[in-house]
């Protein structure tokens, strides 16, 4: 499993932002990992953080990497601060970022499925406001 931190400029937010990404990796010699190449692009899970965390919390405090690896799943964890995944009246357009721009960016940066049937979203706490986005 590859773990990447990706920093980029968001047109929707009009500021630089970050995502953490887990991607299935073909391996032959890693202990405890099934050998073989992933068959085609993986499905993608957008995993949204809670109010008191950031996009790194899932990888630091959970076993998401092991679960994603076993499922052959790519996981994208965006940074959204304390936005409640909503467009702010006098601030940033987080809803637009998560629902429109982020999936497009992920498909352009990484080889993942782009069909709705292969795209999932889940969140914890404040992250529960975002699943309707994607």
């Amino acid at each position: 499993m590859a773990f990447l931190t990706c920093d980029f400029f968001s047109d929707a937010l009009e500021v630089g932002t970050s995502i953490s990404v887990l991607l299935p990796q073909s391996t032959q010699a890693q202990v405890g990992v099934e050998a073989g190449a992933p068959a085609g692009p993986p499905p993608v899970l957008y995993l949204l953080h809670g109010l008191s965390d950031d996009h790194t919390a899932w990888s630091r405090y959970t076993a998401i990497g092991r679960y994603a690896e076993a499922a052959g799943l790519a996981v994208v964890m965006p940074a959204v601060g304390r936005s409640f995944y909503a467009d702010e009246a006098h601030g940033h357009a987080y809803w637009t970022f998560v629902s429109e721009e982020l999936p497009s960016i992920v498909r352009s940066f990484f080889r993942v499925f782009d069909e709705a049937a292969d795209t999932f979203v889940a969140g914890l706490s404040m992250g529960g406001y975002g699943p309707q986005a994607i």
Side-chain angles (χ1 to χ4, degrees), residues 47-117:
L47 192 54
L48 309 178
H49 66 79
L51 184 66
S52 63
D53 292 318
D54 65 14
H55 65 293
T56 67
W58 290 108
S59 56
R60 291 184 295 128
Y61 301 127
T62 74
I64 188 61
R66 286 194 311 249
Y67 295 130
E69 186 169 52
L73 186 66
V75 182
V76 176
M77 299 162 278
V80 299
R82 302 185 107 197
S83 68
F84 282 86
Y85 300 87
D87 284 351
E88 299 169 338
H90 302 287
H92 299 293
Y94 284 102
W95 175 263
T96 303
F97 169 66
V98 172
S99 66
E100 297 173 19
E101 185 179 28
L102 182 60
S104 176
I105 285 174
V106 167
R107 286 189 303 269
S108 72
F109 287 176
F110 308 107
R111 187 181 65 102
V112 296
F113 272 117
D114 61 356
E115 300 296 323

